Amino acid sequence: MNNLSPTALEAPAIPYPPELYRFDTVAKGITGGFPAVSDAEIAFFHQHGYLVIDDAFSASEIQDAVAGMVHLMDGGNPDFRAIQFEPSLVKRKNEMGRDERRDAIRKIFRFVDDEPRLNAIAEHAGLLGLLELMMGEAPALFQDMALVKPPIFGSEKPWHQDCAYFNLPLGTTVIGVWIALDEATPENGCMHIIPGSHNEGPMVHFKRRDWQICDTHVPVARDTMVPLQPGGCLFWHGLLHHGSPVNQSAQRRRALQFHYKPASCPEITTQERMELYGSEGKDVDC
């Protein structure tokens, strides 16, 4: 249930043009879990930059993951501090009760060494096996987070490419994995993607609402939504344009997000990354 109703606090205004996200095209997924993925689906991923499995994880696996996530959010591990609150709510966090506080959190991260129920998802045999087929070698987890888009106050994640954040060589098959713990809907801020955009190379990113692609550079006409039921999973390439609008509903939208790279992948410097994705020294503006 929503514990932060619009009558308790004024909902924040949408900070972006409404036409930046479309709601008329939905990505199609496959069913049958990880065993249902064939060579055709892997080829689809490389061509279009994404793959959706509607039933990747069982109800019990999702229940365990939610329990592990809530355990950390509620302070079950006193040494765990990697919790980020929604900007519009952070000043009130010490005044909140347990349930209200849960619905004020935006993100928790770096938890796989602290919560075995979440680590079990990150190391799921079916997941790792599919990633190895996609990458052509063993995957290595290098980022873990849980994304909590709270009711009413869940903020936007602007359009971006994940590789703009990571010091990894251009051409690396970086794969993001987004796992729905609650139903992700158009109303509560499900993921939006631009199919095929990973084939168009690095985009210059600007510091605006976040480290993002300029709003006017997003091919919005190709925007495709990815609504998911709990246990549904989206795989996407690190160069795929993606983002998620605000949550204007009374329903929370919790998800796990992991990033994997090929185990043999080296790193580059931040300067080398910014030469690809930064605006400095380029004749560009936003």
Side-chain angles (χ1 to χ4, degrees), residues 184-245:
T185 69
E187 294 77 20
N188 71 8
C190 71
M191 190 81 85
H192 288 235
I193 61 174
I194 305 292
S197 56
H198 68 304
N199 293 316
E200 297 160 17
M203 294 288 292
V204 174
H205 283 57
F206 300 85
K207 184 64 178 177
R208 295 296 185 264
R209 297 183 303 281
D210 203 331
W211 180 237
Q212 64 175 93
I213 299 170
C214 187
D215 291 344
T216 57
H217 298 168
V218 179
V220 178
R222 294 156 55 193
D223 180 6
T224 299
M225 295 186 298
V226 190
L228 293 170
Q229 293 293 319
C233 183
L234 167 67
F235 295 79
W236 74 96
H237 191 284
L239 287 176
L240 192 77
H241 304 190
H242 64 289
S244 64

Side-chain angles (χ1 to χ4, degrees), residues 47-241:
Q47 179 181 356
H48 299 282
Y50 75 96
L51 177 66
V52 178
I53 304 178
D54 292 327
D55 53 358
F57 295 90
S58 69
S60 62
E61 289 170 330
I62 295 302
Q63 289 169 3
D64 284 347
V66 170
M69 181 176 173
V70 169
H71 175 76
L72 294 178
M73 294 168 74
D74 289 351
N77 182 343
D79 295 326
F80 184 79
R81 295 285 187 272
I83 297 176
Q84 181 185 104
F85 286 80
E86 279 291 337
S88 61
L89 301 174
V90 65
K91 291 181 180 179
R92 294 190 60 247
K93 67 178 183 178
N94 293 328
E95 306 167 10
M96 298 174 179
R98 184 194 66 180
D99 291 344
E100 190 179 17
R101 186 177 184 274
R102 289 178 185 175
D103 279 342
I105 292 172
R106 174 181 173 84
K107 181 190 300 183
I108 67 174
F109 47 95
R110 294 197 297 270
F111 49 69
V112 291
D113 293 332
D114 294 279
E115 176 44 64
R117 288 166 290 192
L118 297 177
N119 187 54
I121 299 291
E123 294 188 347
H124 188 281
L127 172 62
L128 296 182
L130 177 53
L131 288 168
E132 184 166 357
L133 291 174
M134 289 174 161
M135 293 179 178
E137 65 172 279
L141 176 69
F142 70 96
Q143 186 190 66
D144 58 293
M145 59 179 65
L147 304 174
V148 188
K149 199 180 281 283
I152 306 299
F153 297 91
S155 55
E156 175 210 22
K157 178 63 177 179
W159 291 98
H160 65 285
Q161 295 171 304
D162 287 338
C163 286
Y165 288 77
F166 305 141
N167 290 343
L168 298 172
L170 184 62
T172 302
T173 304
V174 174
I175 299 179
V177 179
W178 200 96
I179 303 161
L181 302 180
D182 301 305
E183 184 180 6
T185 69
E187 294 77 20
N188 71 8
C190 71
M191 190 81 85
H192 288 235
I193 61 174
I194 305 292
S197 56
H198 68 304
N199 293 316
E200 297 160 17
M203 294 288 292
V204 174
H205 283 57
F206 300 85
K207 184 64 178 177
R208 295 296 185 264
R209 297 183 303 281
D210 203 331
W211 180 237
Q212 64 175 93
I213 299 170
C214 187
D215 291 344
T216 57
H217 298 168
V218 179
V220 178
R222 294 156 55 193
D223 180 6
T224 299
M225 295 186 298
V226 190
L228 293 170
Q229 293 293 319
C233 183
L234 167 67
F235 295 79
W236 74 96
H237 191 284
L239 287 176
L240 192 77
H241 304 190

